[in-house]
């Protein structure tokens, strides 16, 4: 979004037109909507801004739910924004640590700042992009004087150290035009990670990074928490000072719907030994894998590694946990279509979920090779066990078992 479009949008006419328009989520609807609004005499800047925001609001429901209907976005800002449910947990941690204020340095469109303000914290938010800062100010306006937004750099707006004052940062590289946000190497972050880590060493700080960030580049004295939401690993957060928990250096937070579960440790867990495929196969959550806590989960399930190079666990115990997806093994076979089809026909399986790990195979392409006939369903897991390519036919185990 350009500033001229934002100015056109931030008027009673513009905001009213946007609210009346509602979400626009189909590409075919865009051309029709643009033509209709232009025919009604609205300016090109206003039409571009309103239609663009209507499309972004439709996409933003996945992260912000109904709140998206009263928010403004940039495309890059929405891509980078923290999901509201995850941001709420950030805010809870800051509150539990006794903080009363937070400086959100690099606030984007205000996703985390909304959660901080909603938790009763005073928020000083800053963004280096003028349009993005203006949009954050609009999104935070309902909180009045308790949430303040400035246009500027993180380095120039670091508040003085004070009791009860935390810092939150989401360092990133934003390209010009506000159209893309991409995670790059440590030297390309803005503010630089050297600066961010130096701040974190001196005061209570949370730093949001991509979940695949180089582990060897993380500060040794920070708590590293990998977060997954509904099966996808969405972020890594470094916590320092009063925001870090005593004795915790590795954490995996698993969020599914409204519920969350967390696994913590003082260091990477020692892997469990390998063992032969048993009655159950377990797939650890991505946050557990990133945090390198697979061994702790394995021991809780009385399980071992199916292969030390691949993150599958196996056991004979009828146990599961929130940190894995569990499957009851039916039978195994070579991972080729002929062998698999023979089993599928024999068991009348017409519907399969295909999962793979450790094999270079496209599940969608592989599915076309399968003879799926019958009323039964199952999960087909394609993996390597030692030097062998194996297919495992299994049934999902309910998470409550």
């Amino acid at each position: 979004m350009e500033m001229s479009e934002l100015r056109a949008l931030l008027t009673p006419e513009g905001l009213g037109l946007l609210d009346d328009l509602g979400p626009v989520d189909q590409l075919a609807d865009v051309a029709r909507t643009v033509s209709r609004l232009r025919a009604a005499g609205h300016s090109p800047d206003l039409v571009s801004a309103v239609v663009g925001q209507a499309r972004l609001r439709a996409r933003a429901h996945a992260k912000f739910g109904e709140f998206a209907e009263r928010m403004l976005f940039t495309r890059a800002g929405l891509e980078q924004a923290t999901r509201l449910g995850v941001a709420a947990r950030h805010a809870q941690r800051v509150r539990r640590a006794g903080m009363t204020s937070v400086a959100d340095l690099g606030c984007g469109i205000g996703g985390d700042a909304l959660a901080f303000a909603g938790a009763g914290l005073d928020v000083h938010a800053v963004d280096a992009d003028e349009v993005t800062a203006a949009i954050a100010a609009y999104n935070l306006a309902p909180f009045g004087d308790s949430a303040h937004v400035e246009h500027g750099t993180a380095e120039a707006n670091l508040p003085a150290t004070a009791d009860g004052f935390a810092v939150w940062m989401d360092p990133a590289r934003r390209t010009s035009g506000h159209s893309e946000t991409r995670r790059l190497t440590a030297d390309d972050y803005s503010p630089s990670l050297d600066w961010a880590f130096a701040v974190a060493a001196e005061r209570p700080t949370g730093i949001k990074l991509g979940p695949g960030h180089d582990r060897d580049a993380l500060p040794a004295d920070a708590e590293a928490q990998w977060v997954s939401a509904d099966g996808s690993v969405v972020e890594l957060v470094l916590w320092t000072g009063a925001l870090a928990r005593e004795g915790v250096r590795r954490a995996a937070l698993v969020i599914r719907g409204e519920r969350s579960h967390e696994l913590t440790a003082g260091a990477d867990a020692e892997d469990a030994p390998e063992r032969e495929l048993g009655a159950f196969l377990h797939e650890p959550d991505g946050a557990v894998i990133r945090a390198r806590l697979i061994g702790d989960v394995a021991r809780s399930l009385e399980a071992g590694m199916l292969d030390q190079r691949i993150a599958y666990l196996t056991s004979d115990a009828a146990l599961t946990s929130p940190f894995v997806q569990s499957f009851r093994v039916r039978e195994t076979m070579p991972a080729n279509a002929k062998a698999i089809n023979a089993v599928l026909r024999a068991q009348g399986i017409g519907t399969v979920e295909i999962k793979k790990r450790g094999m270079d195979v496209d599940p969608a392409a592989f599915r076309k090779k399968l003879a799926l006939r019958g009323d039964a369903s199952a999960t087909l897991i394609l993996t390597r066990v030692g030097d062998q390519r194996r297919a495992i036919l299994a049934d999902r185990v309910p998470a409550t078992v």
Side-chain angles (χ1 to χ4, degrees):
M1 179 185 291
E2 300 299 327
M3 183 56 76
S4 60
E5 295 175 340
L6 182 61
R7 290 194 182 101
L9 181 63
L10 293 179
T11 62
E13 177 195 9
L15 294 173
L17 189 62
L18 175 60
D19 288 341
D20 291 341
L21 188 61
V24 176
D25 54 4
Q26 298 297 325
L27 190 59
D29 295 334
V30 173
R32 288 194 295 268
T33 304
V34 169
S35 297
R36 177 169 60 82
L37 295 180
R38 291 291 289 122
H42 298 295
S43 71
D45 279 342
L46 180 57
V47 172
S48 177
V50 166
V51 175
Q53 287 300 312
R55 294 196 70 192
L56 289 172
R57 281 183 172 181
R59 290 172 52 194
H61 265 265
K63 286 188 173 183
F64 294 96
E66 294 182 359
F67 288 96
E69 298 171 9
R70 290 297 180 266
M71 295 175 66
L72 300 181
F73 305 93
T74 64
R75 184 158 71 93
L78 177 56
E79 289 171 356
Q80 187 179 354
T82 305
R83 301 182 188 204
L84 194 57
V86 177
R89 288 169 172 83
H90 297 159
Q92 290 166 7
R93 178 184 286 237
V94 175
R95 281 298 305 268
R96 284 197 299 266
M99 302 293 113
T100 57
S101 303
V102 60
D104 187 345
L105 306 180
C107 66
I109 54 92
D112 280 295
L114 283 168
F116 293 140
L121 295 160
D122 290 329
V123 179
H124 175 66
V126 177
D127 200 89
D129 181 85
E130 185 177 13
V131 169
T132 303
I135 286 176
Y138 176 88
N139 290 337
L140 289 165
F143 293 99
D145 294 339
S146 64
H148 175 68
V149 181
E150 290 189 23
H151 169 221
T153 65
E155 295 89 339
N157 286 274
L158 179 66
T161 303
D163 290 341
F165 210 129
V167 175
W168 173 261
M169 285 184 271
D170 185 359
R173 174 71 172 267
R174 297 180 176 87
T175 60
S176 60
H178 329 298
S179 61
E180 297 290 344
T181 297
R182 57 193 179 103
R183 298 294 189 180
L184 303 172
T185 64
D187 292 340
D188 291 319
Y189 280 79
S190 179
S192 74
L193 292 190
D194 286 343
W195 183 85
F197 291 166
V199 170
E202 299 293 332
R203 59 180 74 190
T205 302
I207 302 176
K208 175 184 169 183
L209 299 170
H213 192 84
D214 182 4
R215 291 168 57 95
D216 293 336
L218 301 178
D221 56 351
E223 175 189 333
Q225 180 191 49
W226 282 264
V227 181
S228 74
D230 297 323
S232 297
V233 187
V234 295
E235 66 182 27
L236 159 64
V237 183
L238 302 181
W239 301 102
T240 68
L243 301 183
R245 292 168 290 188
E246 185 70 27
V248 176
R249 289 295 177 268
R250 297 290 180 261
L253 176 61
V254 177
I255 303 170
R256 297 189 184 279
E258 298 298 319
R259 304 185 67 181
S260 63
H261 306 270
E262 190 172 28
L263 189 65
T264 63
D268 294 355
E270 180 182 355
D271 283 342
E274 286 186 23
R275 57 154 292 173
E276 295 290 327
L277 179 65
F280 296 90
L281 185 77
H282 310 281
E283 180 181 33
D285 185 88
V288 173
I289 296 171
R290 294 283 190 182
R292 294 186 183 169
L293 298 178
I294 298 174
D296 287 346
V297 173
R299 285 178 280 278
S300 74
L301 297 174
E302 302 175 16
M305 302 291 294
L306 186 62
D307 185 297
Q308 287 291 348
R309 301 164 297 176
I310 299 172
Y312 278 137
L313 304 174
T314 185
S315 70
D316 287 315
L319 300 171
T320 187
S321 90
F323 303 111
V324 298
Q325 296 180 69
S326 296
F327 303 86
R328 186 186 299 273
V329 175
R330 289 195 191 187
E331 58 183 289
T332 66
M333 66 219 78
N336 63 68
K338 181 178 179 180
I340 294 170
N341 281 331
V343 174
L344 296 179
R345 285 193 297 269
Q347 299 197 20
I349 294 173
T351 304
V352 293
E353 169 194 27
I354 300 177
K355 302 179 74 67
K356 61 104 174 182
R357 184 162 286 174
M359 283 180 54
D360 185 14
V361 60
D362 178 359
F366 194 83
R367 182 184 299 275
K368 295 177 181 178
K369 302 177 182 180
L370 301 181
L372 299 173
R373 300 182 185 87
D375 298 327
S377 62
T379 298
L380 182 67
I381 300 166
L382 305 175
T383 190
R384 284 188 176 274
V385 182
D387 295 330
Q388 296 183 333
R389 292 159 56 97
R390 304 295 296 172
I392 301 169
L393 193 66
D395 297 304
R396 279 186 173 271
V397 175
T400 54
V401 173

